[in-house]
Structures are given as structure tokens and as C-alpha cells.
Amino acid sequence: MEFDDEKYCNFALLEKRQGQKIVLGLVNTQSDELEDKEVLLKRPEEANKHVDPKQICIATQYVFASTEAGNLISEEGQWRKLDLVHELVESLNA
């Protein structure tokens, strides 16, 4: 599930996915700008109100574009985004 803005963050929809793995696409990969980690950590907390926390996985929103005309994100930015995903997972598992 990808969440581009608050309009689409309806975690109640997750209740229809009981017992299934749910991947929350929290980290935007369209630009180098890093999201606030504390803001992102609130989203899985909200999702946990609707499904078992063991069902939740964290990922980027989109794949990194593989063409020259793709998203305006540097290789360094891509690594920072992946590091942010790792930090989110570590924080949630602490």
C-alpha cells in the first residue's frame, strides 16, 4: 500500500487483510528529500490498530526508476532512502 498523502492513509482498509502480510510504502523515492522518521513511525502505529503488527512490513513507495527519464533522485539519495527504511524497521522492532 502506497501513501502519497494523508488523503489516502485510510488504515481501516487493512482490516480486510487479516492474516496477510501488508507492505506499507512509507518512504518516497521520487526525490532526494528525506521524510521525518518520527512522522513515518506514526503510520505503522496507526496500522497496528487495525491488524496484527506481525503482518506489517515497511518499504519504499515506488521502485527506483531504471531509466534516464526516471525520478530525479541521485544514487546517494537512493541509499539514504534505503537506510531510512532500515532505521524505521529497527525502531519498530526495538
Side-chain angles (χ1 to χ4, degrees), residues 4-5 9 16 20 35 40 48 56 64 68 73 78:
D4 291 320
D5 57 43
C9 287
K16 297 179 181 183
Q20 298 177 9
E35 294 90 334
L40 294 179
N48 291 344
I56 302 295
F64 295 105
E68 186 176 318
I73 185 169
Q78 292 177 36

Side-chain angles (χ1 to χ4, degrees), residues 9-88:
C9 287
N10 184 354
F11 290 107
L13 296 173
L14 299 178
E15 292 176 4
K16 297 179 181 183
R17 300 292 177 228
Q18 297 297 327
Q20 298 177 9
K21 287 289 183 189
I22 298 165
V23 180
L24 300 179
L26 300 181
V27 178
N28 184 306
T29 57
Q30 294 182 329
S31 76
D32 280 331
E33 183 179 340
L34 280 180
E35 294 90 334
D36 183 307
K37 180 179 165 183
E38 297 308 314
V39 171
L40 294 179
L41 284 171
K42 292 179 183 177
R43 290 184 174 166
E45 291 174 7
E46 181 64 28
N48 291 344
K49 295 176 184 175
H50 302 281
V51 294
D52 185 331
K54 294 177 183 173
Q55 290 179 243
I56 302 295
C57 302
I58 306 297
T60 58
Q61 288 180 344
Y62 312 97
V63 297
F64 295 105
S66 59
T67 67
E68 186 176 318
N71 299 327
L72 299 175
I73 185 169
S74 66
E75 181 179 346
E76 181 183 325
Q78 292 177 36
W79 286 112
R80 286 196 317 265
K81 297 287 184 164
L82 292 173
D83 287 341
L84 179 57
V85 170
H86 183 260
E87 289 175 25
L88 292 169

